[in-house]
Amino acid sequence: MDWIRDHLWETWLGLGIVLGVAEMFSLDLILGMLAVGALVGMVAAVAGLAIPLQILCAAGASVAMLALVRPTVVKRLHSGPELSLGHGKLVGRTALVTADITGLSTGRIKVAGEEWSALPYDEHLSIAAGETVEILQIKGATAYVHPVARLES
């Protein structure tokens, strides 16, 4: 126990290293925050503060890291681009009508270099070839589309 008291900053540094290594195995970002608290305790020991103040500094820094830093880091790590796979990635995209589309007959559209059969989302609409449409839904191999409004000049 006397060795620890004589080498407080080394003890805090060792604790920080052990917690940091343990964090690499857990990847929860909890032990890493505690490791930062231990490093703050080390700085307090180097500054010559009493042991209770070192412990308070380490605990305060750990709690602050857990409450303020960890949520932001976790949110940033878990966010990312939304990945759409299959035909779902085409919903919301615009396409060019290559064959007339009516509620009674299936037409054709070209989107992302592929030809798809298409029906109007509103069965009372007729969409002429050459129009631009937005894909609202895909069922099977048929895209349900709606014309994109154009500005008339």
Side-chain angles (χ1 to χ4, degrees):
M1 199 65 174
D2 288 334
W3 184 89
I4 292 175
R5 191 169 292 131
D6 293 338
H7 301 282
L8 279 173
W9 75 268
E10 293 99 334
T11 305
W12 284 112
L13 179 61
L15 180 62
I17 291 170
V18 167
L19 288 169
V21 169
E23 174 61 41
M24 287 192 269
F25 291 104
S26 72
L27 298 177
D28 287 333
L29 295 177
I30 293 174
L31 297 175
M33 303 298 139
L34 297 177
V36 171
L39 295 178
V40 169
M42 179 193 74
V43 170
V46 168
L49 297 178
I51 294 174
L53 286 176
Q54 293 173 26
I55 294 171
L56 271 172
C57 289
S62 295
V63 168
M65 292 291 288
L66 287 169
L68 302 174
V69 176
R70 184 181 182 274
T72 306
V73 173
V74 168
K75 182 180 176 185
R76 190 170 273 178
L77 286 175
H78 289 289
S79 67
E82 195 65 36
L83 299 177
S84 303
L85 300 175
H87 64 268
K89 66 183 175 187
L90 298 177
V91 173
R93 294 189 63 181
T94 57
L96 180 66
V97 177
T98 57
D100 292 348
I101 304 170
T102 65
L104 301 174
S105 67
T106 303
R108 304 289 292 170
I109 61 171
K110 186 166 189 165
V111 59
E114 299 177 344
E115 289 272 336
W116 282 76
S117 58
L119 286 171
Y121 192 75
D122 179 3
E123 59 198 37
H124 302 293
L125 285 178
S126 293
I127 306 168
E131 293 283 325
T132 303
V133 293
E134 180 181 359
I135 301 172
L136 300 179
Q137 184 179 23
I138 294 182
K139 290 183 183 175
T142 304
Y144 288 83
V145 298
H146 190 75
V148 174
R150 278 195 286 174
L151 295 175
E152 299 294 327
S153 51

